[in-house]
Amino acid sequence: MEDSERVSDPDLPRAVRLAWGMEKPGARGPRRGLSLERIVDAAVEVAEEEGVGALSMARVAKRLGFTTMSLYRYVASKDELIDLISDRVIGPPPVIPDGSSWRTGLRHWARAEYEQLMRHRWWLQLAVGSSPPTGPNNIAWLDAGLGTLAHTPLSPALRFQVVLNTSLYVIGRARFAADLVTSAGTDAGAAPDAAGYDYAAVIGRLVAGGGFPHLAATLADGAFDAEPGVEWSDADFLFALDVFLDGVEKLVERSS
């Protein structure tokens, strides 16, 4: 069903109705040229260029050349705007290659989500916990994830739990990687005011005086080493993802 054909459901939050095209705001806007689409695009641009801290209705209005009050004809609040941009930035889900096993498909799905979040690291700073992801892109991601498990013996409820927890793992690891700044200076994709330092080097200096033999031995064994051209956080993400999927594989086997 096209967005224009969707029937508005008054019991849904207004932000959800906007995201799904059930609400048509701004019919009596101040002048031509302003639209919900332009407002969301401008908000994403502000976050991309200046960081989440700069995101405000006033900043978005200034970027568009309109008054702040003009935006409220389309978006009721900053929280509503955040709901809309959080779904916009995640984008559509990946296409799972035909013939993929459930594990290959779910691994592909998880890597795609991780890579998308790391391209837009400011998304990880959004206060999205108060509003479950219900936009069309997020729902499409959920459906695609469930599709990777469609031919397993897992019950639909278990498939949902696996996909939900896979996504929670991805988001948590992306937040960790975004916070683990590994270069001196501002990390690419982070907020403009993010300070950087070498995390492994700092820990090494802290344990050098003794008293932490297990951690010192771990560092000496190359715990933070990675292949040339590969970020340690990315390699560790894949390592832990495979450990997680090993557990899912055991669950699938027990359900057979």
Side-chain angles (χ1 to χ4, degrees):
M1 180 182 294
E2 297 294 332
D3 285 349
S4 60
E5 298 174 353
R6 294 186 183 276
V7 178
S8 183
D9 185 341
D11 292 330
L12 290 172
R14 184 172 183 273
V16 176
R17 300 200 306 271
L18 286 172
W20 285 88
M22 299 177 183
E23 190 90 0
K24 299 301 179 184
R28 293 196 296 264
R31 67 177 188 260
R32 292 181 181 178
L34 190 59
S35 66
L36 180 63
E37 189 79 7
R38 286 196 64 200
I39 292 170
V40 174
D41 286 344
V44 170
E45 291 170 5
V46 169
E48 293 278 5
E49 296 174 13
E50 304 177 41
V52 173
L55 187 61
S56 68
M57 297 290 280
R59 184 68 190 84
V60 174
K62 181 179 179 180
R63 190 178 191 91
L64 291 167
F66 287 86
T67 66
T68 303
M69 289 305 298
S70 299
L71 268 61
Y72 285 107
R73 295 177 178 268
Y74 299 83
V75 184
S77 65
K78 178 182 174 180
D79 287 343
E80 191 170 272
L81 182 60
I82 286 175
D83 285 342
L84 294 170
I85 69 172
S86 66
D87 189 71
R88 170 70 64 81
V89 167
I90 198 64
V95 176
I96 307 300
D98 290 339
S100 297
S101 66
W102 72 261
R103 180 167 182 147
T104 298
L106 189 57
R107 192 176 193 271
H108 180 83
W109 182 91
R111 288 191 66 177
E113 183 181 18
Y114 179 80
E115 290 166 2
Q116 183 70 357
L117 295 180
M118 294 304 289
R119 279 193 290 268
H120 306 282
R121 301 185 190 191
W122 57 266
W123 185 97
L124 298 164
Q125 302 172 35
L126 293 176
V128 296
S130 60
S131 179
T134 52
N137 284 327
N138 276 285
I139 294 298
W141 274 85
L142 178 57
D143 190 72
L146 291 170
T148 66
L149 300 169
H151 299 296
T152 69
L154 297 178
S155 68
L158 279 177
R159 293 172 199 165
F160 178 80
Q161 285 185 282
V162 168
V163 172
L164 176 62
N165 282 278
T166 302
S167 185
L168 290 174
Y169 162 75
V170 170
I171 294 170
R173 288 309 301 247
R175 285 199 171 111
F176 172 76
D179 290 341
L180 189 67
V181 182
T182 56
S183 60
T186 301
D187 191 26
D193 60 351
Y197 60 85
D198 190 329
Y199 180 67
V202 169
I203 292 183
R205 293 178 68 86
L206 292 173
V207 304
F212 305 97
H214 303 296
L215 185 53
T218 299
L219 293 176
D221 196 48
F224 284 95
D225 293 347
E227 295 180 8
V230 178
E231 290 288 339
W232 176 86
S233 57
D234 293 342
D236 195 60
F237 165 78
L238 293 175
F239 164 78
L241 175 62
D242 283 332
V243 171
F244 175 85
L245 293 176
D246 285 345
V248 176
E249 189 158 357
K250 293 295 184 182
L251 183 63
V252 171
E253 290 173 358
R254 289 201 302 269
S255 300
S256 298

